[in-house]
Amino acid sequence: MAEVPPVLVNFKAYSEAVGDRALSLARAAEKVSEETGVTIGVCPSHVDLARVASEVDVPVFAQAVDAAEPGSRTGHVTPEMVREAGADGTLLNHSERRMLLEDLKDVCLACMNEELTTVVCASDAVAARAAGALRPHAVAVEPPELIGTGTPVSKADPEVVEATVEAVKEVSEDTVVLCGAGITDGTDVKAAIELGADGVLVASGVVLADDPEEAMRDLVSGIP
Amino acid sequence: MAEVPPVLVNFKAYSEAVGDRALSLARAAEKVSEETGVTIGVCPSHVDLARVASEVDVPVFAQAVDAAEPGSRTGHVTPEMVREAGADGTLLNHSERRMLLEDLKDVCLACMNEELTTVVCASDAVAARAAGALRPHAVAVEPPELIGTGTPVSKADPEVVEATVEAVKEVSEDTVVLCGAGITDGTDVKAAIELGADGVLVASGVVLADDPEEAMRDLVSGIP
Amino acid sequence: MAEVPPVLVNFKAYSEAVGDRALSLARAAEKVSEETGVTIGVCPSHVDLARVASEVDVPVFAQAVDAAEPGSRTGHVTPEMVREAGADGTLLNHSERRMLLEDLKDVCLACMNEELTTVVCASDAVAARAAGALRPHAVAVEPPELIGTGTPVSKADPEVVEATVEAVKEVSEDTVVLCGAGITDGTDVKAAIELGADGVLVASGVVLADDPEEAMRDLVSGIP
Amino acid sequence: MAEVPPVLVNFKAYSEAVGDRALSLARAAEKVSEETGVTIGVCPSHVDLARVASEVDVPVFAQAVDAAEPGSRTGHVTPEMVREAGADGTLLNHSERRMLLEDLKDVCLACMNEELTTVVCASDAVAARAAGALRPHAVAVEPPELIGTGTPVSKADPEVVEATVEAVKEVSEDTVVLCGAGITDGTDVKAAIELGADGVLVASGVVLADDPEEAMRDLVSGIP
């Protein structure tokens, strides 16, 4: 199973990261990874997943999967599908795609069976403790009010990062913690790591940057 | 914009129709279409959409799209995305993926803007009238209790087909009606057409058939 | 079955309209109704429904009911329950409680069976046409962006009211149209009526008014 | 704050437990409680909550509350509302009303602030561990496939009860465990207690019994 990358870039549904632009972004991630030796994972849309996974050599994560088994389910994306498309893992429970607790439990288990690495998002330390209790590979703490602001959680609310690390470790020692929301440069990444996080989850800071490749290079500079 | 195909095959999340098997099924549809001159559309999963659209020459429909604009939305599949992936249209409101009335309204409009052909599913004539009031290209009537049974709606409940055709025409003259649920062969298709439907929406009848190509050939034989 | 009242006051989950304050508000509505001869209906929370219905003589509407039949359903409020609690009708599909198209269809029918008057909310004329196609007693058009603003839809967007009246009448002649969002006084009500609405749906304009009774008296002055 | 009762009866949306029948059932619970000294709590529908709480002297629990703050929310039932109606606590995340993990977290906290006792349902030990991580007063384990069957979980799947007790205690020492699904008599209750549960959550076993009072008397006989 893929390791949790220390830098994970969520393409969301940004027009700047769909179709051919998804491929370009993923190639920039690949280039920076090769240069720096720091793994950068990418999360393209469902529609771009297979193409990115087959053409670019970086860890590829889905943005979500449904708690659905293969079969008579229309419009659902199953763990099996994204595995077959070449994905290494998936985000789950992002603040823009919250899940029922029971579905999240089912899908964490189903991903385990498909050898998909799971990164469960949570809004704060209490939610992170509940998420951690499902024993995913990573919990990503993202206070929703900071998403897309450019104000990093590591600066706006350092306690939430520390409290999350503590809460997650309390219930699941092997689960790592990513820090998201408002992360835009290497300084933010460094601060997150110092607060106990193992890496970062970023989106607009890279996708909407004038020069996404340079933005990733900057982010990676914060990884020790 | 693509016409509504008289035969539309929903691949659902069947293992038999994911990845390379999605491609094979689509190629079988292409072959039967070429042989018979009857257009067969296919609805692969989100993950297989781009590949099927780029490699096979049949109308390709998404199984669903989200009522989401491009931007900061994680795990959503937008009309823009499926258009860019090469889709011609989309199913909406399938019984396995029901939508909020307001989202359905928004997404029908958004699909119009992306020149995507919309096929809105409905469980009965009253729901079909409401769906028709949104002026989609097609309404597909599928009594959920018949889905996957092999008992065609045209036989089990012919009145629902007739009532749907009447209800839809009453509110939207240009919207065509497809008939779904339990359709497996040309006799079922013929019966549906005689009840006033313009075509059929099928899934397990093709996807789970011993010989899907032959199953499509049989279905198509019912089109006048 | 109860007529659709020309003024319908939605108590929402405002602290100002819960428990004893719900009773006081309903009594103020009763008083203004008696004085003026204009019927004012009230929509208390589920929790206050039975008490208001048994102690006050005004039409009482639920704020929502679930598309659930009696039986093994936890936390749901069924049409049967609110009927037994003494309600005369219910709001449905409010912008703060949108429903699946199929559930809305089921619940409109279930309410009919319980002789509950149905008022289906819709955000614009297209949604209103779809709602009207379900043949409820009323459609209430409320552009969500105007809710709670104090800027009445009849002034901010008069076309939406006219277009809604036209769209609803096109599909269901007997369905009346209420106008909501931003309505605070008699002038707004008068304008709504002149645009073709049969009445108004208000919330904060009454519930958060310094003097709710006086606010209702003012609203009612706009009814011809 | 109310203790978690060792026997908690969920009235669901059963016709047999609405309106005046809700009151009768609650009075039967009161009578058996007085006779035996074992507290029996009741969970009437939202609509019957206030009346049962004001007229009967047993702990009253809502069947659910929404993760909604007071204010502009239509059709929602807030912790504040049920507290004002006289409720002592609430069920949350019942299998017939599953919640988003994040909403469940928010609502557990909001209930704490209103001094409402929280009983969070979960389908198995893993979900129970996540639920327990939110530090509710109780977790009720109910394998959904056993609900309403009359086959008690304590007999059909004793391991799930033991595993749940262990999982919950691991993350929240003060949280008690109730055992639900298929419980109908004192033998089932006794078995549940012996497996480590602190009490039971029952519904059809009482509500649909020929003699609900007698059914409760029998259940209570299993409490040591």
Side-chain angles (χ1 to χ4, degrees), chain A residues 114-128:
Chain A
E114 293 288 342
E115 307 209 330
L116 292 165
T117 301
T118 48
V119 177
V120 179
C121 301
S123 64
D124 64 14
V126 179

Side-chain angles (χ1 to χ4, degrees), chain A residues 21 63 74-75 80 84 96, chain B residues 15 21 63 74-75 84 96:
Chain A
R21 282 96 65 210
Q63 294 177 15
T74 296
E80 182 204 32
E84 182 142 353
E96 294 152 8
Chain B
S15 293
R21 284 95 66 209
Q63 293 178 15
T74 296
E84 183 143 353
E96 294 152 9

Side-chain angles (χ1 to χ4, degrees), chain C residues 11 14-26 51, chain D residues 80 84:
Chain C
F11 291 6
Y14 287 118
S15 293
E16 291 81 356
V18 164
D20 291 339
R21 282 95 65 207
L23 211 64
S24 301
L25 264 174
R51 193 170 161 219
Chain D
E80 182 204 32
E84 183 142 352

Side-chain angles (χ1 to χ4, degrees), chain B residues 49-81:
Chain B
L49 204 58
R51 193 169 161 218
V52 170
S54 73
E55 300 191 21
V56 189
D57 186 25
V58 289
V60 175
F61 282 63
Q63 293 178 15
V65 293
D66 293 303
E69 298 186 13
S72 187
R73 302 292 295 266
T74 296
H76 292 85
V77 170
T78 63
E80 181 203 33
M81 275 181 202

